[in-house]
Amino acid sequence: MLPPELTYLLTLDWHVFPVSRTSKHGCFKGAAASASADIKQVFEWSKQFPDCNWRAHPGKSKLFFLDVDKAGDLHDNDGFATIQRLISKHGPLPSGPRLITGGSGGEGVFFRWEGQEMRGGPNALAPGIDVSTVRGAVCPTLPPSIHQRTGGAYRWRRGYEPWNVSLPSIPQWIVTELKPLPVPEVDLSAITESAAATKLNYYAQDIINAPSGLSNRTIFGKSFKSGILVGAGLLSYQEAETVLYHAALQRVKPEKRGGIMPSIRSGLRGGMSAK
């Protein structure tokens, strides 16, 4: 039987998918891409994976989500202190759905996505604040899920459940802060294959030396630049992917390494298609 709070989200057209309670992986290959608001489909998943956690797909659900980390054993950065500094600068966030995470006891903040193009990923807004993306990076875990490491329960903050408060629009200052980065200009006419390989190694070193809170942004940015070289035929895709991946392994904490390859591949694809 589906939890009532999950069933209600389906009536709001939130698209959900089942996730393992022992890892962050979907219960089957392509689970996130298969996210559904069809109650029959979700019920079938609940029977097939009776002890699963649940996540929402941001893009399909028209959601924008901020995951505000609480500093402690699971997170080095204090997202609560960061968000307070941002609020002091830009004003309070509008009232909307809020949940308390089962890991660090952080907070999930939900908004209505209205088609804006924005960057996302771990620490995208600022250190300690992860940001959802349309394609499904940083998918919010939903109550009544249980955190895979701490065993803590995810729960809606009282009075801020999605059935008690509607989704507000994303504040304009957040949209501005997360606007897509400009496409880096690269003069390909003066680059040889040997020079391109050297640049790739420099990009890898930049990833290894990325400052705290900016590792994911650096991985994407350097992958994008590498993708430009791949698209120009100066590097092989496999070489770029391999070098960047091994560099990222040296920078990213073990518990966050699952997001490395999606960031690299997204950056490479973006660079390859840049005009």
Side-chain angles (χ1 to χ4, degrees), residues 181 184 203 216-226 263 267:
L181 298 174
Y203 296 156
N216 191 68
R217 184 180 301 182
T218 303
I219 290 169
F220 178 85
K222 301 305 175 180
S223 298
F224 191 103
K225 288 187 174 183
S226 300
S263 291

Side-chain angles (χ1 to χ4, degrees), residues 66-88 93 98 101 104-109 122-131 157 173-174 212-213 256:
L66 299 180
D67 184 6
V68 184
D69 296 333
K70 184 177 182 180
D73 293 339
L74 297 179
H75 304 290
D76 293 332
N77 295 313
D78 187 350
F80 278 59
T82 300
I83 199 69
Q84 285 304 316
R85 288 196 296 271
L86 292 172
I87 288 173
S88 296
L93 297 175
R98 302 280 194 277
T101 66
S104 66
E107 185 160 26
V109 184
N123 301 304
L125 183 61
I129 304 177
D130 299 342
V131 179
R157 188 173 291 282
W173 68 265
I174 294 181
S212 178
K256 294 188 176 181

Side-chain angles (χ1 to χ4, degrees), residues 183-204 206 220-241 243-244 264 267-275:
V183 175
E185 295 184 4
V186 179
D187 183 5
L188 299 175
S189 63
I191 299 177
T192 63
E193 290 186 9
S194 176
T198 300
K199 281 184 173 291
L200 176 62
N201 288 328
Y202 283 146
Y203 296 156
D206 288 341
F220 178 85
K222 301 305 175 180
S223 298
F224 191 103
K225 288 187 174 183
S226 300
I228 294 176
L229 299 176
V230 172
L234 296 168
L235 283 175
S236 76
Y237 183 96
Q238 187 62 50
E239 177 187 8
E241 183 182 77
V243 170
L244 296 169
I264 290 174
L268 285 172
R269 288 194 302 267
M272 290 169 65
S273 63
K275 303 298 184 183

Side-chain angles (χ1 to χ4, degrees), residues 110-123:
F110 292 83
F111 302 92
R112 182 175 63 255
W113 178 66
E114 297 167 306
Q116 302 95 326
E117 291 188 25
M118 295 182 290
R119 293 177 291 106
N123 301 304

